[in-house]
Amino acid sequence: MSVSAVDRTADSTDPVLFERGDSGVAVLTLNRPERMNAWGGGLAGAFYRCLDRAEADPDVRVIVLTGKGRAFCAGADMGDLDAIRGASESSGDTDVSQLVGERHPHFVTGMRKPLIAAINGACAGIGLTQALMCDVRFAAAGAKFTTAFSRRGLIAEYGISWILPRLAGWGAATDLLLSGRTFYAEEARELGLVKDVVAPEELMAHTLAYAEDIARNCAPSSLAVMKSQLYRDASRNLHDASAEAEKLMHESMRRPDFIEGITAFFEKRPPRFPPLKEETP
């Protein structure tokens, strides 16, 4: 990402920082390092506002999510949990929206642009759920992971019981959820939870290189449709998924992206795909 072309409009004290360079990649940084980027303190609302901004920006083709300091997101902010517990004891009703925010973590699976996590450190609880809902994950060597829920008297929150078995398999998901044990980035890679594990000082460069390659060479319309296919087809049978894919294939061949992709291939040059249109997919 070219420093000279980076758009930094967020204040350095904002709970989530937004940066956009000239490469087509926007970087969102969870910015509560003093709280290990715990989910609370206005972070959820700022996170979703930044996602909306990236989704609406035609110059953004890929989004990278990371954390500032020594954690990616260490789970729920315990201070916020104390406030919720107090409200629950007085009213008999727990308003979990105070913690998770106005949307659930699975919101990101419905976005049209790829979201890539650069897991720089501790990733626990709702922080792990958020990371798993991203489309691709990279991690720093030695980063610690845990579901933690069973050790806090909680349950498998906000869709992690849906996504974790699909990424790691039933047996591994059962182990990680029931035990709540801590595991490291290296095991996360073996389980298929992260694509690569790299030295901490190389994490962002490695992740950005991957994201920028997608932004340069992949059609935004293809990315949007394939993301939609992946998550919708997870609950479909093979026949229905194949039938839908055939319809989507015919639609893709009528878009200018298809002609540009084929032309660029034969002319042996990088493709010049147009920005994503509102109606796609």
Side-chain angles (χ1 to χ4, degrees), residues 13-17 28-51 65-68 71-77 80 98-102 126-127 130:
T13 61
D14 287 349
V16 179
L17 305 179
L28 276 57
T29 304
L30 305 181
N31 186 38
R32 302 181 75 214
E34 74 286 354
R35 302 291 295 175
M36 296 186 71
N37 300 319
W39 200 257
L43 187 146
F47 173 64
Y48 290 119
R49 285 193 298 273
C50 286
L51 285 181
L65 173 64
T66 192
K68 186 175 183 180
F72 176 77
C73 176
D77 190 303
D80 285 5
Q98 294 180 43
L99 175 61
V100 72
E102 69 275 15
I126 194 170
Q130 292 287 356

mmCIF file of all heavy atoms in Angstrom, residues 13-17 28-51 65-68 71-77 80 98-102 126-127 130:
data_model
loop_
_atom_site.group_PDB
_atom_site.id
_atom_site.type_symbol
_atom_site.label_atom_id
_atom_site.label_comp_id
_atom_site.label_asym_id
_atom_site.label_seq_id
_atom_site.Cartn_x
_atom_site.Cartn_y
_atom_site.Cartn_z
ATOM 1 N N THR A 13 -7.554 8.333 17.733
ATOM 2 C CA THR A 13 -8.191 7.789 18.926
ATOM 3 C C THR A 13 -9.482 7.050 18.611
ATOM 4 O O THR A 13 -10.129 6.518 19.517
ATOM 5 C CB THR A 13 -8.495 8.911 19.927
ATOM 6 O OG1 THR A 13 -9.392 9.858 19.323
ATOM 7 C CG2 THR A 13 -7.220 9.635 20.351
ATOM 8 N N ASP A 14 -9.890 7.034 17.348
ATOM 9 C CA ASP A 14 -11.106 6.316 16.978
ATOM 10 C C ASP A 14 -10.948 4.827 17.283
ATOM 11 O O ASP A 14 -9.860 4.270 17.131
ATOM 12 C CB ASP A 14 -11.406 6.498 15.491
ATOM 13 C CG ASP A 14 -11.907 7.900 15.170
ATOM 14 O OD1 ASP A 14 -12.214 8.645 16.119
ATOM 15 O OD2 ASP A 14 -11.983 8.244 13.977
ATOM 16 N N PRO A 15 -12.034 4.153 17.684
ATOM 17 C CA PRO A 15 -11.922 2.724 18.016
ATOM 18 C C PRO A 15 -11.583 1.836 16.824
ATOM 19 O O PRO A 15 -11.103 0.726 17.001
ATOM 20 C CB PRO A 15 -13.284 2.374 18.607
ATOM 21 C CG PRO A 15 -14.204 3.461 18.159
ATOM 22 C CD PRO A 15 -13.374 4.686 17.984
ATOM 23 N N VAL A 16 -11.848 2.301 15.608
ATOM 24 C CA VAL A 16 -11.459 1.578 14.392
ATOM 25 C C VAL A 16 -10.872 2.592 13.413
ATOM 26 O O VAL A 16 -11.485 3.630 13.153
ATOM 27 C CB VAL A 16 -12.651 0.843 13.739
ATOM 28 C CG1 VAL A 16 -12.203 0.121 12.472
ATOM 29 C CG2 VAL A 16 -13.272 -0.145 14.717
ATOM 30 N N LEU A 17 -9.700 2.310 12.892
ATOM 31 C CA LEU A 17 -9.047 3.187 11.934
ATOM 32 C C LEU A 17 -9.321 2.702 10.514
ATOM 33 O O LEU A 17 -9.369 1.495 10.269
ATOM 34 C CB LEU A 17 -7.533 3.222 12.182
ATOM 35 C CG LEU A 17 -7.091 3.608 13.591
ATOM 36 C CD1 LEU A 17 -5.569 3.567 13.683
ATOM 37 C CD2 LEU A 17 -7.611 4.986 13.979
ATOM 38 N N LEU A 28 -8.785 -1.852 7.770
ATOM 39 C CA LEU A 28 -9.507 -1.491 8.982
ATOM 40 C C LEU A 28 -8.707 -2.037 10.169
ATOM 41 O O LEU A 28 -8.378 -3.231 10.201
ATOM 42 C CB LEU A 28 -10.915 -2.085 8.999
ATOM 43 C CG LEU A 28 -12.025 -1.327 8.262
ATOM 44 C CD1 LEU A 28 -11.672 -1.120 6.795
ATOM 45 C CD2 LEU A 28 -13.339 -2.056 8.405
ATOM 46 N N THR A 29 -8.385 -1.165 11.124
ATOM 47 C CA THR A 29 -7.577 -1.570 12.278
ATOM 48 C C THR A 29 -8.358 -1.351 13.563
ATOM 49 O O THR A 29 -8.749 -0.212 13.881
ATOM 50 C CB THR A 29 -6.266 -0.757 12.336
ATOM 51 O OG1 THR A 29 -5.562 -0.905 11.100
ATOM 52 C CG2 THR A 29 -5.382 -1.251 13.472
ATOM 53 N N LEU A 30 -8.613 -2.428 14.293
ATOM 54 C CA LEU A 30 -9.237 -2.313 15.609
ATOM 55 C C LEU A 30 -8.255 -1.573 16.510
ATOM 56 O O LEU A 30 -7.105 -1.983 16.662
ATOM 57 C CB LEU A 30 -9.570 -3.698 16.163
ATOM 58 C CG LEU A 30 -10.439 -4.596 15.251
ATOM 59 C CD1 LEU A 30 -10.721 -5.933 15.930
ATOM 60 C CD2 LEU A 30 -11.729 -3.897 14.859
ATOM 61 N N ASN A 31 -8.712 -0.488 17.133
ATOM 62 C CA ASN A 31 -7.787 0.467 17.734
ATOM 63 C C ASN A 31 -8.091 0.717 19.214
ATOM 64 O O ASN A 31 -8.272 1.857 19.643
ATOM 65 C CB ASN A 31 -7.839 1.787 16.935
ATOM 66 C CG ASN A 31 -6.798 2.779 17.394
ATOM 67 O OD1 ASN A 31 -5.679 2.406 17.729
ATOM 68 N ND2 ASN A 31 -7.167 4.055 17.430
ATOM 69 N N ARG A 32 -8.151 -0.366 19.984
ATOM 70 C CA ARG A 32 -8.232 -0.247 21.446
ATOM 71 C C ARG A 32 -7.112 -1.094 22.055
ATOM 72 O O ARG A 32 -7.365 -2.031 22.815
ATOM 73 C CB ARG A 32 -9.589 -0.700 21.953
ATOM 74 C CG ARG A 32 -10.790 0.048 21.388
ATOM 75 C CD ARG A 32 -12.090 -0.466 21.992
ATOM 76 N NE ARG A 32 -12.254 0.007 23.359
ATOM 77 C CZ ARG A 32 -12.840 -0.718 24.322
ATOM 78 N NH1 ARG A 32 -13.282 -1.941 24.075
ATOM 79 N NH2 ARG A 32 -12.964 -0.222 25.526
ATOM 80 N N PRO A 33 -5.864 -0.806 21.712
ATOM 81 C CA PRO A 33 -4.777 -1.677 22.162
ATOM 82 C C PRO A 33 -4.662 -1.775 23.675
ATOM 83 O O PRO A 33 -4.226 -2.811 24.198
ATOM 84 C CB PRO A 33 -3.529 -1.030 21.548
ATOM 85 C CG PRO A 33 -3.916 0.396 21.297
ATOM 86 C CD PRO A 33 -5.369 0.346 20.937
ATOM 87 N N GLU A 34 -5.051 -0.714 24.384
ATOM 88 C CA GLU A 34 -4.974 -0.747 25.852
ATOM 89 C C GLU A 34 -5.964 -1.740 26.441
ATOM 90 O O GLU A 34 -5.804 -2.177 27.587
ATOM 91 C CB GLU A 34 -5.223 0.658 26.420
ATOM 92 C CG GLU A 34 -6.660 1.152 26.380
ATOM 93 C CD GLU A 34 -7.149 1.555 24.982
ATOM 94 O OE1 GLU A 34 -6.326 1.565 24.041
ATOM 95 O OE2 GLU A 34 -8.352 1.873 24.842
ATOM 96 N N ARG A 35 -6.991 -2.128 25.666
ATOM 97 C CA ARG A 35 -7.977 -3.133 26.078
ATOM 98 C C ARG A 35 -7.845 -4.395 25.226
ATOM 99 O O ARG A 35 -8.774 -5.190 25.155
ATOM 100 C CB ARG A 35 -9.394 -2.574 25.943
ATOM 101 C CG ARG A 35 -9.669 -1.312 26.734
ATOM 102 C CD ARG A 35 -9.689 -1.547 28.215
ATOM 103 N NE ARG A 35 -10.787 -2.423 28.607
ATOM 104 C CZ ARG A 35 -10.980 -2.874 29.843
ATOM 105 N NH1 ARG A 35 -10.131 -2.538 30.802
ATOM 106 N NH2 ARG A 35 -11.995 -3.659 30.121
ATOM 107 N N MET A 36 -6.702 -4.576 24.582
ATOM 108 C CA MET A 36 -6.465 -5.710 23.691
ATOM 109 C C MET A 36 -7.556 -5.819 22.624
ATOM 110 O O MET A 36 -7.961 -6.897 22.221
ATOM 111 C CB MET A 36 -6.319 -7.011 24.487
ATOM 112 C CG MET A 36 -5.112 -7.026 25.408
ATOM 113 S SD MET A 36 -4.851 -8.610 26.216
ATOM 114 C CE MET A 36 -4.295 -9.621 24.834
ATOM 115 N N ASN A 37 -8.021 -4.634 22.174
ATOM 116 C CA ASN A 37 -9.054 -4.545 21.139
ATOM 117 C C ASN A 37 -10.308 -5.329 21.502
ATOM 118 O O ASN A 37 -10.977 -5.913 20.634
ATOM 119 C CB ASN A 37 -8.495 -4.993 19.784
ATOM 120 C CG ASN A 37 -7.330 -4.137 19.341
ATOM 121 O OD1 ASN A 37 -7.336 -2.916 19.490
ATOM 122 N ND2 ASN A 37 -6.289 -4.776 18.820
ATOM 123 N N ALA A 38 -10.615 -5.335 22.791
ATOM 124 C CA ALA A 38 -11.818 -6.032 23.255
ATOM 125 C C ALA A 38 -13.054 -5.438 22.595
ATOM 126 O O ALA A 38 -13.132 -4.228 22.329
ATOM 127 C CB ALA A 38 -11.922 -5.938 24.775
ATOM 128 N N TRP A 39 -14.034 -6.302 22.343
ATOM 129 C CA TRP A 39 -15.253 -5.907 21.622
ATOM 130 C C TRP A 39 -16.154 -5.129 22.572
ATOM 131 O O TRP A 39 -16.847 -5.677 23.406
ATOM 132 C CB TRP A 39 -15.957 -7.154 21.112
ATOM 133 C CG TRP A 39 -16.919 -6.869 19.995
ATOM 134 C CD1 TRP A 39 -18.281 -6.806 20.090
ATOM 135 C CD2 TRP A 39 -16.592 -6.615 18.633
ATOM 136 N NE1 TRP A 39 -18.819 -6.518 18.860
ATOM 137 C CE2 TRP A 39 -17.808 -6.403 17.939
ATOM 138 C CE3 TRP A 39 -15.389 -6.544 17.922
ATOM 139 C CZ2 TRP A 39 -17.861 -6.131 16.586
ATOM 140 C CZ3 TRP A 39 -15.435 -6.271 16.571
ATOM 141 C CH2 TRP A 39 -16.665 -6.071 15.923
ATOM 142 N N GLY A 40 -16.137 -3.813 22.443
ATOM 143 C CA GLY A 40 -16.917 -2.941 23.312
ATOM 144 C C GLY A 40 -16.406 -1.527 23.159
ATOM 145 O O GLY A 40 -15.607 -1.217 22.271
ATOM 146 N N GLY A 41 -16.886 -0.626 24.019
ATOM 147 C CA GLY A 41 -16.392 0.734 24.002
ATOM 148 C C GLY A 41 -16.556 1.445 22.682
ATOM 149 O O GLY A 41 -15.711 2.230 22.267
ATOM 150 N N GLY A 42 -17.665 1.179 21.988
ATOM 151 C CA GLY A 42 -17.920 1.831 20.707
ATOM 152 C C GLY A 42 -17.249 1.164 19.527
ATOM 153 O O GLY A 42 -17.420 1.612 18.387
ATOM 154 N N LEU A 43 -16.498 0.088 19.772
ATOM 155 C CA LEU A 43 -15.770 -0.558 18.680
ATOM 156 C C LEU A 43 -16.716 -1.172 17.655
ATOM 157 O O LEU A 43 -16.493 -1.044 16.447
ATOM 158 C CB LEU A 43 -14.820 -1.611 19.244
ATOM 159 C CG LEU A 43 -13.862 -2.279 18.253
ATOM 160 C CD1 LEU A 43 -12.534 -2.588 18.938
ATOM 161 C CD2 LEU A 43 -14.455 -3.571 17.696
ATOM 162 N N ALA A 44 -17.781 -1.827 18.120
ATOM 163 C CA ALA A 44 -18.686 -2.507 17.188
ATOM 164 C C ALA A 44 -19.304 -1.523 16.202
ATOM 165 O O ALA A 44 -19.295 -1.748 14.987
ATOM 166 C CB ALA A 44 -19.771 -3.257 17.956
ATOM 167 N N GLY A 45 -19.844 -0.408 16.722
ATOM 168 C CA GLY A 45 -20.465 0.565 15.833
ATOM 169 C C GLY A 45 -19.484 1.148 14.833
ATOM 170 O O GLY A 45 -19.800 1.298 13.644
ATOM 171 N N ALA A 46 -18.275 1.458 15.303
ATOM 172 C CA ALA A 46 -17.248 2.004 14.411
ATOM 173 C C ALA A 46 -16.831 0.983 13.364
ATOM 174 O O ALA A 46 -16.593 1.336 12.199
ATOM 175 C CB ALA A 46 -16.037 2.452 15.231
ATOM 176 N N PHE A 47 -16.749 -0.281 13.761
ATOM 177 C CA PHE A 47 -16.377 -1.351 12.837
ATOM 178 C C PHE A 47 -17.368 -1.440 11.683
ATOM 179 O O PHE A 47 -16.987 -1.456 10.503
ATOM 180 C CB PHE A 47 -16.317 -2.675 13.611
ATOM 181 C CG PHE A 47 -16.100 -3.896 12.775
ATOM 182 C CD1 PHE A 47 -14.930 -4.073 12.066
ATOM 183 C CD2 PHE A 47 -17.069 -4.890 12.724
ATOM 184 C CE1 PHE A 47 -14.724 -5.214 11.295
ATOM 185 C CE2 PHE A 47 -16.869 -6.035 11.967
ATOM 186 C CZ PHE A 47 -15.697 -6.202 11.252
ATOM 187 N N TYR A 48 -18.652 -1.450 11.998
ATOM 188 C CA TYR A 48 -19.648 -1.587 10.945
ATOM 189 C C TYR A 48 -19.759 -0.322 10.100
ATOM 190 O O TYR A 48 -20.036 -0.401 8.898
ATOM 191 C CB TYR A 48 -20.994 -1.991 11.545
ATOM 192 C CG TYR A 48 -20.969 -3.411 12.059
ATOM 193 C CD1 TYR A 48 -21.200 -3.715 13.399
ATOM 194 C CD2 TYR A 48 -20.667 -4.470 11.198
ATOM 195 C CE1 TYR A 48 -21.150 -5.019 13.858
ATOM 196 C CE2 TYR A 48 -20.612 -5.776 11.657
ATOM 197 C CZ TYR A 48 -20.854 -6.046 12.988
ATOM 198 O OH TYR A 48 -20.789 -7.343 13.449
ATOM 199 N N ARG A 49 -19.524 0.836 10.677
ATOM 200 C CA ARG A 49 -19.504 2.065 9.865
ATOM 201 C C ARG A 49 -18.350 2.034 8.858
ATOM 202 O O ARG A 49 -18.515 2.430 7.702
ATOM 203 C CB ARG A 49 -19.379 3.293 10.769
ATOM 204 C CG ARG A 49 -20.653 3.656 11.510
ATOM 205 C CD ARG A 49 -20.572 5.026 12.129
ATOM 206 N NE ARG A 49 -19.523 5.142 13.132
ATOM 207 C CZ ARG A 49 -19.666 4.842 14.419
ATOM 208 N NH1 ARG A 49 -20.836 4.386 14.865
ATOM 209 N NH2 ARG A 49 -18.666 4.992 15.270
ATOM 210 N N CYS A 50 -17.193 1.541 9.298
ATOM 211 C CA CYS A 50 -16.044 1.441 8.393
ATOM 212 C C CYS A 50 -16.297 0.412 7.298
ATOM 213 O O CYS A 50 -15.913 0.613 6.139
ATOM 214 C CB CYS A 50 -14.780 1.090 9.177
ATOM 215 S SG CYS A 50 -14.117 2.457 10.156
ATOM 216 N N LEU A 51 -16.948 -0.698 7.645
ATOM 217 C CA LEU A 51 -17.285 -1.693 6.627
ATOM 218 C C LEU A 51 -18.244 -1.113 5.597
ATOM 219 O O LEU A 51 -18.087 -1.338 4.387
ATOM 220 C CB LEU A 51 -17.899 -2.929 7.279
ATOM 221 C CG LEU A 51 -16.963 -3.874 8.021
ATOM 222 C CD1 LEU A 51 -17.759 -5.048 8.586
ATOM 223 C CD2 LEU A 51 -15.848 -4.392 7.121
ATOM 224 N N LEU A 65 -8.678 -6.631 7.600
ATOM 225 C CA LEU A 65 -8.996 -6.328 9.000
ATOM 226 C C LEU A 65 -7.864 -6.813 9.892
ATOM 227 O O LEU A 65 -7.434 -7.958 9.789
ATOM 228 C CB LEU A 65 -10.302 -7.013 9.408
ATOM 229 C CG LEU A 65 -10.692 -6.924 10.887
ATOM 230 C CD1 LEU A 65 -10.957 -5.476 11.303
ATOM 231 C CD2 LEU A 65 -11.916 -7.805 11.166
ATOM 232 N N THR A 66 -7.376 -5.951 10.779
ATOM 233 C CA THR A 66 -6.321 -6.330 11.709
ATOM 234 C C THR A 66 -6.531 -5.599 13.027
ATOM 235 O O THR A 66 -7.508 -4.857 13.195
ATOM 236 C CB THR A 66 -4.924 -6.041 11.116
ATOM 237 O OG1 THR A 66 -3.924 -6.673 11.910
ATOM 238 C CG2 THR A 66 -4.657 -4.547 11.030
ATOM 239 N N GLY A 67 -5.625 -5.809 13.971
ATOM 240 C CA GLY A 67 -5.701 -5.139 15.264
ATOM 241 C C GLY A 67 -4.424 -4.391 15.571
ATOM 242 O O GLY A 67 -3.354 -4.751 15.078
ATOM 243 N N LYS A 68 -4.531 -3.371 16.374
ATOM 244 C CA LYS A 68 -3.372 -2.596 16.787
ATOM 245 C C LYS A 68 -2.844 -3.135 18.117
ATOM 246 O O LYS A 68 -3.618 -3.480 19.011
ATOM 247 C CB LYS A 68 -3.728 -1.117 16.930
ATOM 248 C CG LYS A 68 -2.538 -0.219 17.225
ATOM 249 C CD LYS A 68 -2.953 1.250 17.222
ATOM 250 C CE LYS A 68 -1.750 2.151 17.445
ATOM 251 N NZ LYS A 68 -2.151 3.594 17.432
ATOM 252 N N ALA A 71 -2.884 -7.650 20.265
ATOM 253 C CA ALA A 71 -4.065 -8.496 20.117
ATOM 254 C C ALA A 71 -4.806 -8.148 18.832
ATOM 255 O O ALA A 71 -4.788 -7.009 18.372
ATOM 256 C CB ALA A 71 -5.004 -8.327 21.310
ATOM 257 N N PHE A 72 -5.450 -9.165 18.268
ATOM 258 C CA PHE A 72 -6.416 -8.933 17.193
ATOM 259 C C PHE A 72 -7.724 -8.489 17.833
ATOM 260 O O PHE A 72 -8.175 -7.371 17.636
ATOM 261 C CB PHE A 72 -6.606 -10.222 16.388
ATOM 262 C CG PHE A 72 -7.655 -10.127 15.320
ATOM 263 C CD1 PHE A 72 -7.390 -9.472 14.132
ATOM 264 C CD2 PHE A 72 -8.906 -10.696 15.500
ATOM 265 C CE1 PHE A 72 -8.362 -9.375 13.135
ATOM 266 C CE2 PHE A 72 -9.886 -10.614 14.514
ATOM 267 C CZ PHE A 72 -9.614 -9.950 13.325
ATOM 268 N N CYS A 73 -8.318 -9.331 18.626
ATOM 269 C CA CYS A 73 -9.476 -8.994 19.456
ATOM 270 C C CYS A 73 -9.577 -10.064 20.526
ATOM 271 O O CYS A 73 -9.819 -11.233 20.209
ATOM 272 C CB CYS A 73 -10.752 -8.918 18.634
ATOM 273 S SG CYS A 73 -12.244 -8.627 19.628
ATOM 274 N N ALA A 74 -9.383 -9.662 21.773
ATOM 275 C CA ALA A 74 -9.311 -10.624 22.872
ATOM 276 C C ALA A 74 -10.674 -10.999 23.432
ATOM 277 O O ALA A 74 -10.763 -11.528 24.544
ATOM 278 C CB ALA A 74 -8.425 -10.071 23.982
ATOM 279 N N GLY A 75 -11.741 -10.751 22.677
ATOM 280 C CA GLY A 75 -13.072 -11.127 23.126
ATOM 281 C C GLY A 75 -13.861 -9.926 23.600
ATOM 282 O O GLY A 75 -13.538 -8.775 23.303
ATOM 283 N N ALA A 76 -14.907 -10.205 24.371
ATOM 284 C CA ALA A 76 -15.786 -9.149 24.860
ATOM 285 C C ALA A 76 -15.091 -8.327 25.930
ATOM 286 O O ALA A 76 -14.298 -8.837 26.722
ATOM 287 C CB ALA A 76 -17.066 -9.756 25.424
ATOM 288 N N ASP A 77 -15.385 -7.034 25.937
ATOM 289 C CA ASP A 77 -14.859 -6.156 26.972
ATOM 290 C C ASP A 77 -15.556 -6.483 28.284
ATOM 291 O O ASP A 77 -16.768 -6.344 28.407
ATOM 292 C CB ASP A 77 -15.095 -4.695 26.582
ATOM 293 C CG ASP A 77 -14.354 -3.726 27.486
ATOM 294 O OD1 ASP A 77 -14.569 -3.774 28.708
ATOM 295 O OD2 ASP A 77 -13.554 -2.925 26.962
ATOM 296 N N ASP A 80 -17.876 -3.899 29.795
ATOM 297 C CA ASP A 80 -19.207 -3.864 29.205
ATOM 298 C C ASP A 80 -20.065 -5.008 29.718
ATOM 299 O O ASP A 80 -21.263 -4.853 29.946
ATOM 300 C CB ASP A 80 -19.104 -3.939 27.679
ATOM 301 C CG ASP A 80 -18.646 -2.616 27.070
ATOM 302 O OD1 ASP A 80 -18.320 -1.703 27.845
ATOM 303 O OD2 ASP A 80 -18.606 -2.520 25.830
ATOM 304 N N GLN A 98 -26.061 -4.390 23.403
ATOM 305 C CA GLN A 98 -25.101 -3.443 23.948
ATOM 306 C C GLN A 98 -23.676 -3.907 23.703
ATOM 307 O O GLN A 98 -22.759 -3.100 23.588
ATOM 308 C CB GLN A 98 -25.318 -3.280 25.461
ATOM 309 C CG GLN A 98 -26.628 -2.640 25.855
ATOM 310 C CD GLN A 98 -26.745 -2.512 27.356
ATOM 311 O OE1 GLN A 98 -25.802 -2.140 28.036
ATOM 312 N NE2 GLN A 98 -27.914 -2.848 27.889
ATOM 313 N N LEU A 99 -23.488 -5.218 23.633
ATOM 314 C CA LEU A 99 -22.155 -5.774 23.451
ATOM 315 C C LEU A 99 -21.836 -6.028 21.985
ATOM 316 O O LEU A 99 -20.824 -5.559 21.468
ATOM 317 C CB LEU A 99 -22.018 -7.086 24.233
ATOM 318 C CG LEU A 99 -20.712 -7.851 24.032
ATOM 319 C CD1 LEU A 99 -19.534 -7.008 24.488
ATOM 320 C CD2 LEU A 99 -20.754 -9.160 24.802
ATOM 321 N N VAL A 100 -22.687 -6.771 21.289
ATOM 322 C CA VAL A 100 -22.356 -7.196 19.927
ATOM 323 C C VAL A 100 -22.531 -6.077 18.924
ATOM 324 O O VAL A 100 -21.930 -6.091 17.859
ATOM 325 C CB VAL A 100 -23.194 -8.428 19.526
ATOM 326 C CG1 VAL A 100 -24.647 -8.056 19.281
ATOM 327 C CG2 VAL A 100 -22.606 -9.107 18.301
ATOM 328 N N GLY A 101 -23.348 -5.071 19.245
ATOM 329 C CA GLY A 101 -23.608 -4.017 18.288
ATOM 330 C C GLY A 101 -24.893 -4.282 17.530
ATOM 331 O O GLY A 101 -25.617 -5.235 17.811
ATOM 332 N N GLU A 102 -25.152 -3.438 16.542
ATOM 333 C CA GLU A 102 -26.437 -3.523 15.845
ATOM 334 C C GLU A 102 -26.508 -4.657 14.836
ATOM 335 O O GLU A 102 -27.560 -4.940 14.283
ATOM 336 C CB GLU A 102 -26.735 -2.197 15.136
ATOM 337 C CG GLU A 102 -25.848 -1.868 13.945
ATOM 338 C CD GLU A 102 -24.529 -1.190 14.299
ATOM 339 O OE1 GLU A 102 -24.144 -1.224 15.485
ATOM 340 O OE2 GLU A 102 -23.892 -0.639 13.386
ATOM 341 N N ILE A 126 -15.706 -13.631 20.924
ATOM 342 C CA ILE A 126 -16.344 -12.973 19.790
ATOM 343 C C ILE A 126 -15.307 -12.484 18.782
ATOM 344 O O ILE A 126 -15.584 -12.364 17.595
ATOM 345 C CB ILE A 126 -17.256 -11.816 20.256
ATOM 346 C CG1 ILE A 126 -18.166 -11.374 19.101
ATOM 347 C CG2 ILE A 126 -16.444 -10.663 20.822
ATOM 348 C CD1 ILE A 126 -19.256 -10.411 19.512
ATOM 349 N N GLY A 127 -14.072 -12.241 19.247
ATOM 350 C CA GLY A 127 -12.998 -11.890 18.318
ATOM 351 C C GLY A 127 -12.693 -13.027 17.366
ATOM 352 O O GLY A 127 -12.444 -12.811 16.174
ATOM 353 N N GLN A 130 -15.568 -13.256 14.852
ATOM 354 C CA GLN A 130 -15.411 -12.241 13.813
ATOM 355 C C GLN A 130 -14.349 -12.653 12.798
ATOM 356 O O GLN A 130 -14.532 -12.491 11.589
ATOM 357 C CB GLN A 130 -15.025 -10.891 14.446
ATOM 358 C CG GLN A 130 -16.118 -10.239 15.279
ATOM 359 C CD GLN A 130 -17.243 -9.652 14.442
ATOM 360 O OE1 GLN A 130 -17.193 -9.662 13.214
ATOM 361 N NE2 GLN A 130 -18.265 -9.144 15.090
#
